[in-house]
Amino acid sequence: MIGGFFRAVMTPFALFLGLNSIPELVTGVLGTMFMGIGMFGLYFLHIRQAGKLGFAAFAIHSFASFLLMALVFESLTFRVYEPAMLDSPTPPLPIAIAGMTSMPLLILSMILFPLCIFRTNIFSRFPAVLLLATPVLNFIPAVSDFGPLLWGAAFILFGSEAWKQAGQITPYRGSEGAEQVC
């Protein structure tokens, strides 16, 4: 939920303060970091039902989120300490490779995770549809700035559902009757 909130807040900052503004970049770093961490909770809550497709979606999304977080942090660092680097026609090779890798992986995970949800019904379909619509929205120039808003909203909804579902899990009672939480 925290990652989704920060990712969604990027949209108003980008629209009103401009791309690569300090508040937009700070919320981008926090959003991608917490979303990468949050995928662990979403996956581990339903590890048995998610299967291989769920594992692939979780692993790819977490890795790509951390990669994107590093790229956004790099932009934030350049914005603060060396703004001319943001206007550079060619980024340094490691940044170029990370940039070319992170978005295709995120798009792949934004397709795989909803497919896992549709197949297993571990979460409701609405946030899955929002997540699936995010990469589509990113390719439509007139509305591409709203992609982070949808992505964030999907994770807020996933987080709130996971929170409710985790509260309904009953503890395991061992042979002695003592509660053991697995």
Side-chain angles (χ1 to χ4, degrees), residues 38-58:
M39 275 302 287
F40 282 83
L42 296 177
Y43 174 69
F44 287 131
L45 181 63
H46 295 291
I47 194 167
R48 289 189 179 113
Q49 298 98 327
K52 292 176 185 173
L53 181 62
F55 176 75
F58 144 73

Side-chain angles (χ1 to χ4, degrees), residues 69-146:
M69 179 198 67
L71 288 170
V72 176
F73 183 75
E74 166 265 330
S75 294
L76 175 63
T77 304
F78 286 147
R79 178 78 173 149
V80 171
Y81 295 107
E82 189 59 46
M85 283 294 290
L86 292 174
D87 298 326
S88 173
T90 56
L93 186 60
I95 294 171
I97 291 171
M100 290 186 304
T101 307
S102 66
M103 287 317 290
L105 288 175
L106 277 171
I107 289 170
L108 178 62
S109 72
M110 288 179 188
I111 294 169
L112 292 178
F113 194 57
L115 289 177
C116 175
I117 291 168
F118 294 148
R119 192 189 75 183
T120 61
N121 293 317
I122 54 179
F123 294 109
S124 66
R125 292 178 181 256
F126 182 65
V129 169
L130 288 178
L131 190 60
L132 197 55
T134 300
V136 174
L137 202 65
N138 286 338
F139 290 107
I140 303 172
V143 291
S144 64
D145 291 340
F146 293 96

Side-chain angles (χ1 to χ4, degrees), residues 11 20 38-39 60 67 81 94 101 132 147 158-159 163 179-180:
T11 299
N20 292 328
M39 275 302 287
I60 293 169
L67 201 57
Y81 295 107
T101 307
L132 197 55
F158 284 139
W163 187 294
E179 287 191 4
Q180 297 174 352

Side-chain angles (χ1 to χ4, degrees), residues 1-6 34 38 152 155-161 163:
M1 289 188 320
I2 295 169
F5 169 77
F6 281 118
F34 283 115
F155 268 81
I156 290 170
L157 294 172
F158 284 139
S160 65
E161 283 187 40
W163 187 294

Side-chain angles (χ1 to χ4, degrees), residues 3 6-7 9-10 13 22-32 72:
F6 281 118
R7 196 67 188 175
V9 169
M10 278 184 69
F13 283 141
I22 302 283
E24 187 237 358
L25 294 172
V26 168
T27 56
V29 168
L30 293 173
T32 50
V72 176

